[in-house]
């Protein structure tokens, strides 16, 4: 097993904990020199405290600032079970992170396809590495479980929910 898979399994653990708590199952770990330096999971995706700020990448980044502020962030690798949304992607970039690995594509709000070269100079000059689909099937299964549970109302009947359930059906047909 390669390091991408090893660290993605840790992100999947975080996502699994989010799912158990009834939250949207996104997990994230941040790695520096082969060691996990921060962890996060999606929080507050449910009422009554539902918001769009407590994403897994943001919670992990906040912990990194508190517990490891001295780390050279350009050497931090982010592992997320879902492609970072536009907010998370740009926040990671603005905070010096340049390497992102994710499991499942976010067809509704994923930010990693943003063409940095076409933006203002601040972004245009960034050299970013993105590796998609590491342990995609395992990530997909967590989202299937989430969307199949009618108790979870977050993004139910959204393009992402429909896409996820169609992906599962397509894999089952193979």
């Amino acid at each position: 097993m390669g390091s991408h898979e090893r660290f993605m399994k840790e992100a999947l653990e975080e996502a699994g904990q989010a799912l158990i708590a009834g939250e949207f199952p996104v997990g994230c770990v941040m790695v520096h020199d082969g060691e996990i330096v921060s962890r996060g999971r999606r929080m507050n995706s449910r009422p009554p405290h539902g918001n769009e700020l407590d994403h897994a990448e943001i919670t992990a980044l906040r912990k990194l600032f508190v517990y490891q502020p001295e780390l050279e962030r350009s050497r931090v690798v982010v592992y997320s079970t879902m492609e970072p949304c536009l907010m998370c992607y740009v926040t990671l970039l603005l905070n010096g992170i340049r390497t992102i690995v994710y499991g499942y594509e976010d067809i509704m709000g994923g930010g990693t396809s943003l063409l940095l070269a076409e933006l203002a100079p601040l972004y245009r000059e960034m050299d970013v590495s993105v590796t998609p689909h590491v342990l995609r099937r395992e990530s997909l299964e967590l989202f299937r479980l989430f969307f199949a549970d009618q108790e979870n109302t977050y993004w139910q009947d959204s393009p992402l929910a429909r896409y996820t359930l169609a992906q599962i059906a397509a894999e089952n047909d193979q």
Side-chain angles (χ1 to χ4, degrees), residues 70-87:
E70 74 288 348
L71 287 182
E72 173 57 44
R73 292 186 205 138
S74 66
R75 293 176 41 205
V76 170
V77 180
V78 170
Y79 291 85
S80 183
T81 57
M82 176 171 260
E83 176 185 6
C85 71
L86 188 57
M87 173 186 72

Side-chain angles (χ1 to χ4, degrees), residues 42-54:
R42 181 64 164 101
M43 298 168 45
N44 298 316
S45 62
R46 310 173 56 126
H49 304 292
N51 70 66
E52 288 302 331
L53 294 174
D54 297 326

